Amino acid sequence: LAKTTQPISMDSYEGQEVNITCSHNNIATNDYITWYQQFPSQGPRFIIQGYKTKVTNEVASLFIPADRKSSTLSLPRVSLSDTAVYYCLVGGDNAGNMLTFGGGTRLMVKP
Amino acid sequence: DAGVIQSPRHEVTEMGQEVTLRCKPISGHNSLFWYRQTMMRGLELLIYFNNNVPIDDSGMPEDRFSAKMPNASFSTLKIQPSEPRDSAVYFCASSFTSGRVYEQYFGPGTRLTVT
C-alpha cells in the first residue's frame, strides 16, 4: 500500500505561487496520483489527477518526475480563499487498491 | 445535478442505539465510497462499492459497522450498537470508475455524536 508524506503546514501570501510536494516512494505501476482540497465543515474536493509528467487544469498544475516517487501540486497566484487542507492520494486503479488520505497539508494564505 | 446527497446532516444518539446513515450518489456514477473523519485519525476509507458490489471493506472498524448498496442510487452505513468512539463526520463520495478511479464527488457529510 503506497504511503504518502506531505508537509503538515505551509504559509503563503496572496498572489504568490504555492508548491506542495508529496513523497510516495513505494508507488506501484498502476497507481495514479490525485490531489484533493478540503475546507472546514465540507467534504474534500477533487483538484487534479495525473500519472506522469505534467498535468494542468484551470485550478492547478501537477508535476510528476520520471521515477514517480514524488509529485508537486502547484497553485498559481493563491488568494485567501485557497486556505484549506490539501491531500495527496496514491492508488485508485480500480482493483481494490484502497485510496488513502494522509494527514494532508494545511495551507494558510495571508493577506 | 444535486450532487451527492447525505442524510441526516446531524445525528445525536445515545450509546447502544442503532444509527443509519444514508447516501444518494450522483446519477451515472458506478462507484461509491464511505469515509470517516476525526481529528485524531483523519480521513479514513471504510468501504468501497463498484457497480453496487463491495470491493473492499477492510477499512470497516468492526462488526458493528455494516454497509449496503441495494441499487445504484442508494447506500446505507449502519452502526449497531453505536459507541462514543464512533463520533465523527461520515462522508459518502461517488465517482465514475473505468480502469481507474476518477475524481470523487463528496457529499456534505453526516456529523454523528454518540453520547
Side-chain angles (χ1 to χ4, degrees):
Chain A
L1 184 66
K3 180 183 175 182
T4 60
T5 303
Q6 308 173 230
I8 294 174
S9 64
M10 293 180 68
D11 288 343
S12 183
Y13 291 93
E14 282 190 291
Q16 289 188 334
E17 177 184 79
V18 171
N19 295 308
I20 305 175
T21 297
C22 178
S23 297
H24 27 80
N25 291 320
N26 59 341
I27 187 170
T29 301
N30 295 331
D31 286 343
Y32 285 80
I33 301 159
T34 311
W35 286 79
Y36 283 83
Q37 174 192 57
Q38 186 178 26
F39 298 114
S41 301
Q42 295 185 26
R45 186 179 70 144
F46 173 89
I47 300 175
I48 198 165
Q49 184 181 76
Y51 184 81
K52 62 180 179 180
T53 63
K54 176 184 175 181
V55 180
T56 297
N57 61 23
E58 65 278 6
V59 176
S61 294
L62 178 59
F63 298 93
I64 306 169
D67 66 5
R68 301 198 332 121
K69 293 184 182 297
S70 67
S71 58
T72 299
L73 175 72
S74 182
L75 305 172
R77 299 181 61 80
V78 293
S79 64
L80 296 177
S81 62
D82 292 317
T83 294
V85 179
Y86 291 82
Y87 296 97
C88 165
L89 282 73
V90 172
D93 65 353
N94 195 29
N97 189 353
M98 298 287 278
L99 300 169
T100 305
F101 280 80
T105 298
R106 188 172 300 275
L107 173 65
M108 174 69 72
V109 180
K110 303 175 182 178
Chain B
D1 197 320
V4 175
I5 299 173
Q6 291 186 247
S7 65
R9 294 293 308 278
H10 301 273
E11 177 80 33
V12 180
T13 190
E14 292 183 347
M15 181 175 64
Q17 297 297 307
E18 176 180 295
V19 175
T20 300
L21 310 181
R22 297 172 175 79
C23 176
K24 176 178 170 55
I26 292 173
S27 177
H29 284 182
N30 60 356
S31 292
L32 184 139
F33 310 79
W34 281 102
Y35 290 88
R36 176 174 69 176
Q37 186 169 38
T38 62
M39 288 294 292
M40 290 297 294
R41 300 177 66 88
L43 197 59
E44 305 171 278
L45 177 63
L46 301 177
I47 188 168
Y48 160 39
F49 290 89
N50 184 240
N51 294 320
N52 310 337
V53 175
I55 299 301
D56 195 329
D57 64 355
S58 61
M60 296 285 264
E62 50 198 272
D63 292 345
R64 296 186 298 106
F65 285 69
S66 62
K68 295 182 180 179
M69 192 165 186
N71 55 61
S73 59
F74 183 67
S75 176
T76 59
L77 178 67
K78 184 178 294 185
I79 307 173
Q80 166 65 19
S82 59
E83 297 182 2
R85 59 191 169 124
D86 301 331
S87 297
V89 179
Y90 290 81
F91 289 105
C92 174
S94 71
S95 76
F96 176 74
T97 300
S98 176
R100 74 173 191 256
V101 178
Y102 289 82
E103 58 187 282
Q104 295 178 57
Y105 291 81
F106 282 74
T110 295
R111 182 173 296 277
L112 173 65
T113 302
V114 184
T115 60

